[in-house]
Amino acid sequence: MGTVQATRPALRSYPTKTERLTTMTVKKKKLSSIKLLLLDVDGVLTAGQIIYEDDGRQIQIFNVKDGLGLRLLKEAGIKVGIITGRSSQALLHRCANLGIQMVFDGIRDKHSALKKIVEQTGIALDHICFVGDDLPDLPLMGRVGLSVAVADAHPLVQEAADMVTKARGGAGAVREVCEAILKAQDKFEDLVERLFGKDIKDGRG
């Protein structure tokens, strides 16, 4: 009876320092060109949970830190929009509170919605960032200038994304993206100083 030799698992290939630096440079270049941030809602602006009351009303929970990040983006002149498959009054109230007027809700074909947004805003795809978390977001991931998956996104969405956040959806992921865009465009420090009286550069405030 012949002997069976155990095969060793292939060693994991880690990116070299040069590859990491190249990836960081490309990512920063993409972030620095963003003029419009588009967001999915369930699993991105929320943790993906929906609470139903006895009368059928839906309750969604939004993160206030994400909200401040979106306000900072708008203050810097970067547009914000929503593309989501579901409709809810809670979302419309949240968008009204944040001053987000570009809301495409109840959307089955997100690619068609993206084309409409490009036509309406005149902003080229290369200058658009989209943040998603699940399979219906895949049609947009390869079409925009910068695609982002939240930390707990579906593996296929993470694989398709240019960038994966450290934070989970509904737990600061959107804030992370907002600050990354502002920092890449050298706007974050000036915004914080102007709005909150804090000089990040020398620590005074």
Side-chain angles (χ1 to χ4, degrees), residues 36 38 82-83 102 104 107 109-125 128 130 139-140 143-144:
L36 167 62
L38 294 176
I82 301 293
I83 302 181
M102 195 185 306
F104 286 75
I107 299 297
D109 184 353
K110 292 190 175 185
H111 180 212
S112 294
L114 177 63
K115 290 196 291 186
K116 280 186 180 179
I117 288 171
V118 170
E119 292 171 3
Q120 291 177 4
T121 63
I123 297 175
L125 289 171
I128 296 176
F130 175 72
L140 302 192
R143 290 184 164 90
V144 294

Side-chain angles (χ1 to χ4, degrees), residues 171-193:
V174 171
R175 175 67 169 270
E176 188 179 327
V177 175
C178 291
E179 290 198 9
I181 293 171
L182 291 170
K183 288 174 181 176
Q185 298 185 11
D186 296 322
K187 295 177 178 179
F188 183 71
E189 292 179 350
D190 291 338
L191 265 178
V192 172
E193 183 177 358

Side-chain angles (χ1 to χ4, degrees), residues 45-104:
L45 276 173
T46 75
Q49 298 174 320
I50 304 169
I51 299 172
Y52 280 93
E53 298 222 349
D54 290 340
D55 59 5
R57 286 183 301 165
Q58 299 175 16
I59 298 176
Q60 291 175 289
I61 299 174
F62 298 94
N63 189 297
V64 294
K65 292 182 179 179
D66 288 345
L68 179 56
L70 294 171
R71 291 182 191 277
L72 291 175
L73 269 194
K74 288 168 60 63
E75 189 71 27
I78 296 168
K79 298 181 184 298
V80 177
I82 301 293
I83 302 181
T84 179
R86 286 197 325 108
S87 299
S88 76
Q89 287 301 310
L91 171 63
L92 297 180
H93 286 307
R94 182 57 171 158
C95 289
N97 177 257
L98 293 172
I100 299 174
Q101 298 179 340
M102 195 185 306
V103 180
F104 286 75

